[in-house]
C-alpha cells in the first residue's frame, strides 16, 4: 500500500490532486458526474467582492496542446459565493476547500479574505495576484515584489488560515516575487497562473479573443511551470502548490519532485471532465511503478543535496 | 452528460461545405431536441460542440459546416472510425412550452437541430410549420427531409434562387402560429426578435465554447436573469430573457 496523503501548511490532504480555480466552478456540478470526494481538495472559482460578468466573448481560443482564455474573473461576488455556492459544495464535498480570492484593490483582497476566514470548510486561502485578463488589479499586484508583499501582509493580518499567494509567470524573476511573499508572511505559493498570449483570426485579420490577449494554459505550458516550481523551491522554504499543464499522474510526480507539495489541474478539466478523478485514481499505481511509497517524501526530490 | 465513443457510419457532403455524419452509439443522455455533443477531434486540444440533428436508440445524426480546423478534420474522417464525445449536453428545446401550432425557424447551419425538433413536435400532435432560410441553393439543406416529415415547409433564400427572396423573417406572415423555436446566426435571430411580434418563443444561441459543460465560463451571455452559460444553462433560452 502506498500513502498518497500530503500536507499543505499543516492542512492534510488525502491526495495531492486539486482542480485549479476557474476550471471546476464551485465543484458541485462535477459531483453530478462523479464522487468528488476522491479529490484532495478543490480550489473554487476566483471570487471578488462584487459580482463580475467578466470580459466580452469570444473568451476562448485554441492552440497546439492548450488554450487561451480571457474569461476575466466572472463570478457571482462574495455575498452569493458564501450564501449560495459554498453551501451547495458542502453538500457533496467533505474535504478541505481552497478559497481563491481576487481583487482590484488592497481593501478588496482584505475584505474577501476576512469573510472567507469565517467559513469553516475553507482551510486555505489562495490569493490570486496574477490574473492576466483584468485591468487595474489581478496581475498588476503580482508583477512586482513590493506590491505582492503588500497584499500578503494585508491579508495575513485578517486571517488565521494558511495563505497561499498565486503567482504569475509573466515576470522577469518569479523567485524575487515568491521570496517577497514569504518574507511578508505567506504560508505558501501557488504557481503558475496562465502565460499571457494571443491568437489572430486570419479571415478577419483581428485577434480571436475579444479582449485581444488571454492566458495560455494546458500541456503546452507544463515544462515552463515545472521549471518555475523547481526554481522557486530553491528560493523559498514555504510549500508550493504546483500547476500548469498537468495532465497525468506522471506529471503530478514530476511537479512534486521539482518542489510542489500538492498539484492543481486546470485546463485538462475542460477537455476531460473526469481528468482529476482519473489522475487521483492512477496515482497509487504510478507511484508503485516508480518505487514511491510515501508521496509527501518526494517533494523537492529532484534537487541536489 | 455521458462520456462515450461513437462509431462513424457515414460522413457525406449535403450542401456547400456542409456534411452529414451518422454516428452509432449510446444516445441515452440525449433528452431533448436542440442538445449537442462535444467531439474530441484527433490532434486538437479542445472538443468541438456540434448540435444533434436527430437521434434514435441506436445512434444520432450531426450536420456541420466546415468553418475551421476542427470541422475540417471531421469532414475527412471515414466510416468505421471511432469518435470520442461527451453526449447529451445543453438543455434543448422544452416542447411543453410549444403551442399547438409551432413554427420551427432555422437559418443556415441553425437548420439541422430544428429537424429533430419538428419530428418530435409532430409525433406529439403539434401542427408544425418549418421556416428555413439560406443564402442560396448552394447552402440549402434538409428541405425535402422536412417535407417528408409532413410539415408545411417554407423556404427563403437571400439571393432569391429558391423559395421566397429575402431572409427567413420574410416567411413569418405566411403562417398563423402560436409559438416559435429558432436557431441560426445572431443577425437572423436579432431580426427575428424584431419581426415576430409578441409570440412566445425559444431561441437557441451559438457561442465559441471552451469546455461545453459549464466549467470554464467561456461562453457566457448576459441575460435579464443574469449571466448564463450558453453550453450549460442554454443553448436554448426563452426569448423574454435575452438581451439584443
Amino acid at each position: 500500500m502506498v500513502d498518497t496523503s500530503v500536507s499543505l501548511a499543516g492542512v492534510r490532504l488525502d491526495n495531492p490532486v486539486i482542480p485549479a480555480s476557474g476550471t471546476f466552478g464551485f465543484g458541485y456540478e462535477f459531483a453530478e458526474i462523479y464522487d468528488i470526494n476522491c479529490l484532495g481538495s478543490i480550489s473554487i472559482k476566483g471570487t471578488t467582492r462584487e459580482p463580475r460578468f467578466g470580459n466580452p466573448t469570444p473568451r476562448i481560443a485554441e492552440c497546439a496542446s492548450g488554450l487561451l482564455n480571457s474569461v476575466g474573473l466572472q463570478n457571482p461576488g462574495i455575498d452569493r459565493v458564501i450564501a449560495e455556492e459554498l453551501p451547495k459544495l458542502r453538500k457533496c464535498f467533505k474535504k478541505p476547500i481552497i478559497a481563491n480570492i481576487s481583487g482590484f484593490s488592497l481593501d478588496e483582497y482584505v475584505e474577501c479574505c476576512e469573510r472567507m476566514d469565517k467559513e469553516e470548510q475553507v482551510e486555505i486561502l489562495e490569493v490570486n495576484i496574477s490574473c492576466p485578463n483584468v485591468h487595474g488589479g489581478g496581475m498588476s499586484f503580482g508583477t512586482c515584489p513590493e506590491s505582492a508583499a503588500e497584499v500578503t501582509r494585508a491579508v495575513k493580518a485578517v486571517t488565521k488560515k494558511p495563505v497561499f499567494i498565486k503567482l504569475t509567470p509573466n515576470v522577469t524573476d518569479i523567485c524575487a516575487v515568491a521570496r517577497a511573499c514569504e518574507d511578508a508572511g505567506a504560508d505558501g505559493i501557488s504557481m503558475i497562473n496562465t502565460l499571457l498570449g494571443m491568437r489572430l483570426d486570419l479571415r478577419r485579420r483581428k485577434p480571436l479573443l475579444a479582449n485581444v490577449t488571454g492566458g495560455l494554459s494546458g500541456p503546452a505550458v507544463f515544462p515552463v511551470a515545472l521549471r518555475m516550481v523547481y526554481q522557486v523551491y530553491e528560493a523559498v522554504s514555504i510549500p508550493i502548490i504546483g500547476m500548469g499543464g498537468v495532465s497525468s499522474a506522471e506529471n503530478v510526480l514530476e511537479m512534486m519532485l521539482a518542489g510542489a507539495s500538492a498539484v492543481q489541474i486546470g485546463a485538462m478539466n475542460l477537455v476531460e471532465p473526469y481528468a482529476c478523478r482519473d489522475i487521483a485514481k492512477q496515482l497509487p499505481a504510478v507511484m508503485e511503478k516508480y518505487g514511491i511509497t510515501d508521496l509527501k517524501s518526494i517533494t523537492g526530490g529532484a534537487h541536489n543535496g | 452528460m455521458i462520456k462515450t465513443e461513437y462509431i462513424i457510419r457515414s460522413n457525406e457532403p449535403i450542401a456547400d461545405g456542409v456534411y452529414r455524419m451518422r454516428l452509432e452509439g449510446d444516445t441515452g443522455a440525449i433528452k431533448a431536441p436542440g442538445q449537442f455533443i462535444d467531439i474530441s477531434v484527433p490532434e486538437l486540444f479542445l472538443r468541438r460542440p456540434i448540435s444533434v440533428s436527430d437521434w434514435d436508440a441506436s445512434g444520432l445524426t450531426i450536420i456541420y459546416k466546415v468553418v475551421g480546423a476542427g470541422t475540417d478534420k471531421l469532414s475527412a474522417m471515414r466510416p468505421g472510425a471511432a469518435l470520442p464525445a461527451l453526449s447529451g449536453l445543453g438543455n434543448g428545446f422544452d416542447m411543453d412550452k410549444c403551442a399547438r401550432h409551432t413554427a420551427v425557424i432555422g437559418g443556415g447551419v441553425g437548420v439541422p437541430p430544428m429537424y429533430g425538433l419538428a419530428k418530435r413536435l409532430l409525433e406529439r400532435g403539434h401542427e408544425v410549420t418549418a421556416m428555413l432560410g439560406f443564402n442560396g441553393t448552394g447552402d440549402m439543406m434538409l428541405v425535402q427531409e422536412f417535407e417528408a416529415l409532413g410539415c408545411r415547409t417554407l423556404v427563403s433564400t437571400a439571393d432569391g434562387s429558391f423559395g421566397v427572396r429575402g431572409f427567413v423573417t420574410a416567411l413569418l406572415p405566411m403562417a398563423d402560429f402560436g409559438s416559435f423555436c429558432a436557431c441560426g446566426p445572431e443577425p437572423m435571430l436579432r431580426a427575428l426578435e424584431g419581426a415576430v411580434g409578441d409570440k412566445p418563443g425559444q431561441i437557441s444561441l451559438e457561442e465559441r465554447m471552451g469546455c461545453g459543460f459549464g466549467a470554464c465560463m467561456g461562453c457566457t451571455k448576459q441575460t435579464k436573469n443574469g449571466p448564463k452559460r450558453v453550453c450549460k444553462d442554454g443553448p436554448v433560452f426563452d426569448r423574454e430573457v435575452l438581451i439584443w
Side-chain angles (χ1 to χ4, degrees):
Chain A
M1 277 299 284
V2 295
D3 182 359
T4 60
S5 71
V6 297
S7 172
L8 279 177
V11 177
R12 184 191 183 279
L13 307 182
D14 292 337
N15 66 62
V17 177
I18 307 167
S21 181
T23 64
F24 212 71
F26 293 91
Y28 53 84
E29 286 180 331
F30 279 80
E32 294 165 13
I33 58 168
Y34 70 86
D35 182 1
I36 57 176
N37 289 291
C38 65
L39 307 172
S41 175
I42 291 173
S43 181
I44 60 169
K45 177 78 183 143
T47 300
T48 53
R49 185 165 55 195
E50 317 298 338
R52 280 183 58 82
F53 174 73
N55 288 321
T57 55
R59 296 174 173 182
I60 302 286
E62 192 182 41
C63 66
S65 293
L67 77 151
L68 297 159
N69 90 80
S70 60
V71 171
L73 296 176
Q74 181 188 337
N75 79 95
I78 194 157
D79 289 344
R80 278 182 56 196
V81 169
I82 287 175
E84 297 169 26
E85 305 291 347
L86 285 179
K88 284 189 210 167
L89 175 55
R90 247 191 310 271
K91 274 194 195 131
C92 52
F93 189 60
K94 308 299 172 196
K95 303 285 185 74
I97 292 169
I98 300 174
N100 184 288
I101 297 297
S102 274
F104 293 80
S105 67
L106 215 49
D107 283 352
E108 185 174 0
Y109 280 111
V110 166
E111 187 180 331
C112 291
C113 287
E114 212 168 5
R115 297 194 50 196
M116 282 295 184
D117 183 65
K118 299 181 179 72
E119 294 300 304
E120 199 184 342
Q121 201 180 347
V122 170
E123 295 200 30
I124 290 174
L125 302 181
E126 182 175 63
V127 178
N128 176 9
I129 55 168
S130 47
C131 178
N133 295 321
V134 296
H135 299 287
M139 194 171 87
S140 60
F141 287 100
T143 49
C144 91
E146 292 75 21
S147 54
E150 198 181 4
V151 175
T152 307
R153 258 193 304 276
V155 301
K156 277 296 288 178
V158 297
T159 180
K160 294 254 184 305
K161 297 188 177 183
V163 171
F164 279 62
I165 307 293
K166 186 165 177 181
L167 300 187
T168 173
N170 303 305
V171 291
T172 313
D173 182 4
I174 197 167
C175 293
V177 183
R179 268 193 300 266
C181 294
E182 181 180 36
D183 292 344
D187 300 282
I189 299 292
S190 282
M191 61 184 289
I192 56 173
N193 206 317
T194 54
L195 287 141
L196 198 59
M198 71 184 290
R199 291 301 305 271
L200 300 179
D201 178 345
L202 287 178
R203 283 196 192 86
R204 294 186 304 116
R205 304 185 184 187
K206 290 283 185 300
L208 266 173
L209 296 168
N211 199 44
V212 181
T213 60
L216 171 64
S217 62
V221 311
F222 179 71
V224 177
L226 190 77
R227 181 266 294 178
M228 289 187 159
V229 167
Y230 186 91
Q231 290 175 326
V232 167
Y233 180 79
E234 299 207 333
V236 301
S237 54
I238 49 178
I240 299 167
I241 304 176
M243 74 200 76
V246 174
S247 61
S248 65
E250 285 84 354
N251 286 172
V252 171
L253 298 187
E254 268 193 80
M255 266 294 178
M256 292 186 69
L257 284 166
S261 294
V263 170
Q264 289 184 6
I265 291 154
M268 283 311 290
N269 293 317
L270 307 182
V271 293
E272 178 43 74
Y274 297 95
C276 286
R277 179 199 70 174
D278 292 348
I279 289 170
K281 201 187 277 182
Q282 287 152 9
L283 202 50
V286 178
M287 284 170 63
E288 273 180 34
K289 181 179 171 188
Y290 292 100
I292 299 162
T293 50
D294 180 13
L295 191 52
K296 58 186 154 308
S297 72
I298 74 163
T299 292
H303 295 258
N304 293 327
Chain B
M1 173 172 82
I2 58 161
K3 185 186 165 188
T4 187
E5 194 168 88
Y6 291 112
I7 303 295
I8 300 173
R9 285 300 166 218
S10 64
N11 188 21
E12 290 157 355
I14 59 166
D16 289 350
V18 177
Y19 288 74
R20 170 161 46 203
M21 184 183 268
R22 294 192 200 281
L23 298 170
E24 190 178 288
D26 186 351
T27 55
I30 301 171
K31 306 290 184 201
Q35 287 186 290
F36 63 96
I37 63 173
D38 209 6
I39 298 170
S40 183
V41 181
E43 296 163 46
L44 296 178
F45 188 70
L46 294 174
R47 291 173 184 269
R48 295 312 198 255
I50 311 271
S51 66
V52 174
S53 176
D54 194 17
W55 78 98
D56 59 27
S58 65
L60 58 90
T61 303
I62 56 171
I63 292 170
Y64 59 92
K65 185 176 183 181
V66 175
V67 290
T71 43
D72 189 43
K73 279 180 190 286
L74 209 54
S75 71
M77 293 185 78
R78 312 304 279 245
L83 207 55
L86 305 173
S87 182
L89 300 181
N91 58 356
F93 291 98
D94 182 349
M95 292 188 286
D96 291 339
K97 290 180 181 168
C98 291
R100 208 196 62 75
H101 181 184
T102 289
V104 301
I105 305 169
V109 282
V111 168
M114 309 318 282
Y115 176 80
L117 172 64
K119 186 174 170 183
R120 279 159 188 80
L121 284 172
L122 289 164
E123 282 168 7
R124 287 164 54 115
H126 292 261
E127 183 185 350
V128 176
T129 299
M131 301 180 177
L132 313 178
F134 303 99
N135 290 319
T137 49
D139 68 333
M140 199 164 77
M141 65 175 113
L142 298 181
V143 173
Q144 286 164 345
E145 284 87 342
F146 272 94
E147 285 170 344
L149 286 177
C151 61
R152 187 174 171 219
T153 304
L154 307 171
V155 176
S156 70
T157 52
D159 66 3
S161 55
F162 191 91
V164 174
R165 177 188 290 270
F167 297 114
V168 77
T169 43
L171 306 172
L172 292 173
M174 297 167 67
D176 184 22
F177 51 92
S179 75
F180 71 93
C181 295
C183 182
E186 194 175 307
M188 170 201 130
L189 296 174
R190 185 180 291 117
L192 177 66
E193 176 61 33
V196 75
D198 58 1
K199 291 180 169 127
Q202 301 174 61
I203 292 175
S204 181
L205 298 180
E206 190 177 45
E207 185 55 77
R208 185 177 284 260
M209 293 176 187
C211 62
F213 49 89
C216 73
M217 310 287 158
C219 62
T220 305
K221 285 263 189 215
Q222 189 59 273
T223 74
K224 290 175 189 164
N225 295 336
K228 297 289 175 194
R229 298 162 297 181
V230 171
C231 70
K232 174 97 178 179
D233 306 311
V236 178
F237 295 90
D238 291 335
R239 68 177 289 206
E240 305 84 61
V241 309
L242 296 176
I243 300 165
W244 296 98

